Amino acid sequence: MNLSAIDPILLLASLMVAATPIMLAAIGELVVERAGVLNLGVEGMMITGAVTGFVAATTTGSPWLGFVSAACGGALLSLVFGVLTQFLLSNQVATGLALTLFGLGLSALMGQGYIGIKAPAFPDWHVPLLGDIPVIGPIVFQHDPMVYVGLLIVLGVWAFLKFTQAGLVLRAVGENHDAAHALGYHVRRVRILAILFGGACAGLGGAYLSLVRVPQWTEGMTAGAGWIALAIVVFASWKPERLVLGAYLFGGVTVLQLNLQAAGVAVPVEILSMSPYLATIAVLVIMSAGRAPGSLGRIFHAAR
Amino acid sequence: MIFTRRAVAAILASTLATGAAAQDDGPTRVGFIYVGPVGDGGWTYEHDQGRLAVEEEFGDAVETVYVESVPEGADAQRAIEQMALQGADLIFTTSFGFMDPTVAAAEKFPDVKFEHATGYKTADNLSIYSARFYEGRAVQGHIAGQITESNIVGYIASFPIPEVIRGINAAYLHAQEVNPDVEFKIIWAYTWFDPAKEADAATTLIEQGADVILQHTDSTAPQAAAEAAGNVYTFGQASDMSEYAPMPRVSSIIDNWAPYYIERTQAVIDGTWETSDRWDGIDTGMVGIGEITDAIPAEVKASAEDLRDRIGAGEYHPFTGPINRQDGSVWLEEGETADDETLLSMDFYVEGLTGTIPE
């Protein structure tokens, strides 16, 4: 065992990268669930975003266009879910699962011919001045721009839910859609917009995998990240600030266990591999998850 | 949840495959059960190339079906049985974890021929086949030991099964032979295919000083991570992964299943199929060594090619004594070579490797 081989600065830096895709997907799903909709299709939207982002980025040569396309792709797929559940009143759980399966298949189809191709480079962004601070600089301020975009989105969602009237309406719709409807709010419209936002964020998370973290296209490459994102929303008790904590915890333990293994720590590898999930469950129990939005997963029909 | 998703995907896929194999008489039907997606660029990709070669070879006389991304375990049995029910005459199950499900399916369908890759259980209608990947690993270790400057070689292992352990031992022995100071850092990924996890593992190894990465997982993600890091060498796994040549990918192990699949399909058509246990290496081309690029010194390339040729010609066995086990006890005496039985059940590290093998 040689723990000195682990550089804590590099470790913390890779933690932020490892956490970014699930954080992006989770913040989108958080908004969706706060609006009272349970969309289990995160995995499907992520992988659709991964492939559309990859196709757009390799075709145009611009990673930024890739991310924009990924957000559009994810949102477009989520619109299918939105129409089915909000207008045709289909069951949200079943529709969400179907969306995941559909997304996986669709992405495999779209990705034909893009296997083995390299993504255009997306260089790290050395933040001026801040990036030069010792220790903190390399940990926090020398990442690719999407890491900061992700954090800004979380910050934006937090401020939106806490300080804006629109955020209040969204929460009202999620807590009690009948009451919100009685007050004259457009339950469906609010939910469709939330679903679109959730899809766009999941798409960004997926594209982060295919354009930055891996970076290439392979079928099934999200490998369950969407489900982790769903768990992290519950873990975060539907609060954006806790969501960052959850994503970093999961990302951190994931990276740490790999480092411990490579350093030859005498802990059974099985336990190390399980540790990200164990840590998530443990904290979930300890923090005694908050109350879910009152109307979560319930079908809204104005006539009832 | 992943398992659920894959299970449902597998069921859907097998349902889709039904249409192609519904009628009774006609062409010989050959089925393939894959552990990953055909587009993984590695293990499953090469098996699918073998399937396509069968189609090419026999044309209308043979019909092939496949199910991809089948999880190892109970779900696999459903996929295999489904395929047998659809009238497959010969079924290849292409991952170690499909062993027991294949055995169970072979009992239920005595008229169907089964072939299981990399396992060790046979039956009257169940053959096994594998490739001596460790021969390729020896060549990789030989190169890795000479080109590493940090003397740290990273190894992304998948599951602690004999095949993987054999690969680690073969690579280490031949790296150590040319560089006594070499150290192996091993990460068990517990997956055959998870690009994000493989990328993380590669990055971690590089951050801990490794400048050569060997992988026993199937995606090209570690290649991309090494390329991003700069001065890190890698080897293609299962497939050539030549899109990363000449750097970071300096060579590769290529699985070439096509001749075997064609031969076995022919045997079923002729009615001469018998239970067999095939374990071929560089000699028959089942294990191919991908082009060694000029990114490494010419003398290293030459000596690696020499090692490859000597193994292929049968002049040299990668496990030739003296070799001690990790605990210092003698495994092979001077000049003694390993027997296949020990190799097939290998569950120990050789002397010099640090760390323990997970149970």
Side-chain angles (χ1 to χ4, degrees), chain B residues 76-100:
Chain B
Q77 193 170 335
R78 239 169 290 153
I80 299 166
E81 289 181 0
Q82 180 72 21
M83 198 169 261
L85 283 171
Q86 286 159 16
D89 301 298
L90 173 65
I91 297 178
F92 294 94
T93 58
T94 63
S95 187
F96 180 79
F98 296 152
M99 181 162 65
D100 290 329

Side-chain angles (χ1 to χ4, degrees), chain B:
Chain B
M1 284 302 226
I2 301 172
F3 293 104
T4 324
R5 166 169 73 73
R6 290 205 172 144
V8 180
I11 292 162
L12 282 181
S14 57
T15 320
L16 289 175
T18 322
Q23 68 277 65
D24 249 328
D25 280 318
T28 304
R29 294 192 190 86
V30 185
F32 294 82
I33 305 281
Y34 299 141
V35 70
V38 292
D40 70 352
W43 176 260
T44 297
Y45 173 80
E46 288 299 329
H47 282 288
D48 201 54
Q49 292 299 304
R51 178 185 71 85
L52 294 171
V54 169
E55 285 203 331
E56 173 100 341
E57 174 81 15
F58 296 101
D60 290 340
V62 166
E63 208 170 69
T64 67
V65 286
Y66 69 89
V67 184
E68 58 185 335
S69 297
V70 176
E72 299 184 329
D75 284 324
Q77 193 170 335
R78 239 169 290 153
I80 299 166
E81 289 181 0
Q82 180 72 21
M83 198 169 261
L85 283 171
Q86 286 159 16
D89 301 298
L90 173 65
I91 297 178
F92 294 94
T93 58
T94 63
S95 187
F96 180 79
F98 296 152
M99 181 162 65
D100 290 329
T102 308
V103 171
E107 271 175 28
K108 277 196 188 173
F109 296 91
D111 297 334
V112 179
K113 311 297 183 207
F114 292 88
E115 301 251 359
H116 176 236
T118 70
Y120 53 81
K121 292 182 182 169
T122 56
D124 284 346
N125 59 335
L126 170 58
S127 285
I128 50 175
Y129 64 102
S130 184
R132 296 180 185 266
F133 304 115
Y134 66 87
E135 297 183 346
R137 294 277 166 202
V139 178
Q140 291 188 351
H142 182 79
I143 298 173
Q146 295 178 79
I147 56 178
T148 175
E149 280 171 21
S150 64
N151 288 334
I152 298 173
V153 173
Y155 203 113
I156 306 171
S158 42
F159 293 95
I161 58 172
E163 184 200 322
V164 178
I165 296 166
R166 225 162 35 230
I168 296 172
N169 283 336
Y172 178 74
L173 284 170
H174 292 83
Q176 195 209 26
E177 185 183 52
V178 292
N179 180 354
D181 296 326
V182 79
E183 181 196 345
F184 270 39
K185 281 182 190 280
I186 300 163
I187 288 184
W188 294 93
Y190 275 90
T191 177
W192 291 113
F193 179 78
D194 181 346
K197 200 168 185 181
E198 292 169 53
D200 283 349
T203 308
T204 301
L205 290 166
I206 293 165
E207 283 173 0
Q208 291 203 15
D211 60 355
V212 182
I213 303 282
L214 306 185
Q215 62 177 100
H216 206 135
T217 49
D218 301 340
S219 89
T220 49
Q223 314 279 329
E227 186 173 51
N231 260 342
V232 178
Y233 301 94
T234 58
F235 295 86
Q237 155 68 12
S239 189
D240 197 26
M241 302 188 178
S242 59
E243 62 270 27
Y244 288 93
M247 265 292 276
R249 172 230 169 266
V250 293
S251 183
S252 61
I253 294 178
I254 307 168
D255 309 346
N256 181 13
W257 306 107
Y260 182 75
Y261 287 165
I262 290 170
E263 177 196 323
R264 300 303 281 176
T265 305
Q266 186 68 53
V268 167
I269 294 172
D270 298 344
T272 55
W273 190 97
E274 277 180 354
T275 302
S276 69
D277 172 3
R278 185 71 69 82
W279 204 21
D280 286 349
I282 293 177
D283 51 352
T284 65
M286 194 182 263
V287 174
I289 303 295
E291 192 214 346
I292 301 172
T293 68
D294 292 327
I296 63 172
E299 66 270 21
V300 177
K301 179 177 173 174
S303 73
E305 285 172 344
D306 177 58
L307 179 66
R308 175 196 67 193
D309 295 342
R310 280 191 295 135
I311 294 173
E315 293 163 19
Y316 172 71
H317 190 294
F319 290 106
T320 303
I323 302 174
N324 289 347
R325 292 190 177 85
Q326 191 181 28
D327 59 15
S329 64
V330 176
W331 171 36
L332 295 172
E333 300 284 358
E334 175 85 42
E336 191 185 352
T337 56
D339 58 278
D340 282 358
E341 204 171 320
T342 316
L343 289 180
L344 284 169
S345 60
M346 186 174 259
D347 58 355
F348 58 89
Y349 279 154
V350 294
E351 193 171 46
L353 280 166
T354 51
T356 48
I357 301 172
E359 288 301 315

Side-chain angles (χ1 to χ4, degrees), chain A residues 104 118 213 216 259 261 270, chain B residues 188 200 208 220-221 359:
Chain A
L104 287 167
K118 291 182 206 169
R213 188 147 154 241
Q216 60 184 344
N259 269 281
Q261 270 202 52
E270 296 87 337
Chain B
W188 294 93
D200 283 349
Q208 291 203 15
T220 49
E359 288 301 315

Side-chain angles (χ1 to χ4, degrees), chain A residues 264-291:
Chain A
V265 172
V267 177
V269 176
E270 296 87 337
I271 293 181
L272 287 175
S273 294
M274 272 192 286
S275 56
Y277 308 94
L278 288 179
T280 309
I281 294 169
V283 179
L284 198 63
V285 173
I286 294 166
M287 286 171 68
S288 62
R291 200 181 57 82

Side-chain angles (χ1 to χ4, degrees), chain A:
Chain A
M1 165 162 53
N2 182 11
L3 282 181
S4 62
I6 302 177
D7 184 336
I9 293 177
L10 288 176
L11 179 76
L12 290 168
S14 30
L15 172 161
M16 289 186 70
V17 175
T20 296
I22 40 179
M23 190 168 79
L24 280 165
I27 193 65
E29 178 66 13
L30 183 136
V31 171
V32 177
E33 293 193 13
R34 284 299 282 267
V37 178
L38 182 64
N39 185 353
L40 295 181
V42 181
E43 178 87 359
M45 300 185 297
M46 271 186 99
I47 194 133
T48 306
V51 74
T52 43
F54 190 82
V55 171
T58 47
T59 313
T60 63
S62 158
W64 287 110
L65 274 178
F67 280 112
V68 171
S69 317
C72 295
L76 204 63
L77 190 65
S78 73
L79 190 61
V80 176
F81 174 86
V83 169
L84 286 172
T85 58
Q86 301 308 307
F87 293 101
L88 304 177
L89 306 184
S90 70
N91 179 295
Q92 292 178 8
V93 171
T95 312
L97 287 172
L99 196 70
T100 286
L101 289 170
F102 177 61
L104 287 167
L106 181 71
S107 64
L109 183 68
M110 288 173 66
Q112 298 283 336
Y114 288 91
I115 293 162
I117 295 180
K118 291 182 206 169
F122 193 58
D124 285 353
W125 183 42
H126 190 111
V127 184
L129 296 178
L130 291 173
D132 298 325
I133 306 170
V135 184
I136 306 225
I139 295 176
V140 186
F141 297 112
Q142 294 184 13
H143 293 295
D144 58 272
M146 277 312 286
V147 169
Y148 309 111
V149 171
L151 286 169
L152 282 177
I153 291 177
V154 176
L155 190 70
V157 166
W158 172 76
F160 170 80
L161 290 176
K162 200 169 171 75
F163 298 120
T164 67
Q165 198 194 346
L168 191 63
V169 172
L170 183 134
R171 279 153 53 201
V173 166
E175 286 301 332
N176 188 330
H177 50 216
D178 294 322
H181 175 68
L183 285 170
Y185 296 125
H186 299 274
V187 175
R188 273 183 191 165
R189 187 189 303 164
V190 169
R191 287 189 169 166
I192 288 283
L193 289 174
I195 290 167
L196 285 173
F197 178 77
C201 286
L204 283 180
Y208 190 80
L209 281 173
S210 64
L211 292 177
V212 183
R213 188 147 154 241
V214 172
Q216 60 184 344
W217 164 250
T218 35
E219 281 175 33
M221 68 181 303
T222 46
W227 300 109
I228 298 293
L230 277 165
I232 282 175
V233 175
V234 181
F235 168 94
S237 319
W238 294 269
K239 292 189 177 75
E241 64 274 19
R242 282 199 194 176
L243 185 132
V244 178
L245 185 76
Y248 280 0
L249 181 82
F250 185 83
V253 181
T254 307
V255 174
L256 181 66
Q257 71 97 356
L258 291 172
N259 269 281
L260 290 175
Q261 270 202 52
V265 172
V267 177
V269 176
E270 296 87 337
I271 293 181
L272 287 175
S273 294
M274 272 192 286
S275 56
Y277 308 94
L278 288 179
T280 309
I281 294 169
V283 179
L284 198 63
V285 173
I286 294 166
M287 286 171 68
S288 62
R291 200 181 57 82
S295 292
L296 183 61
R298 282 170 45 206
I299 292 174
F300 171 72
H301 190 272
R304 279 177 212 158

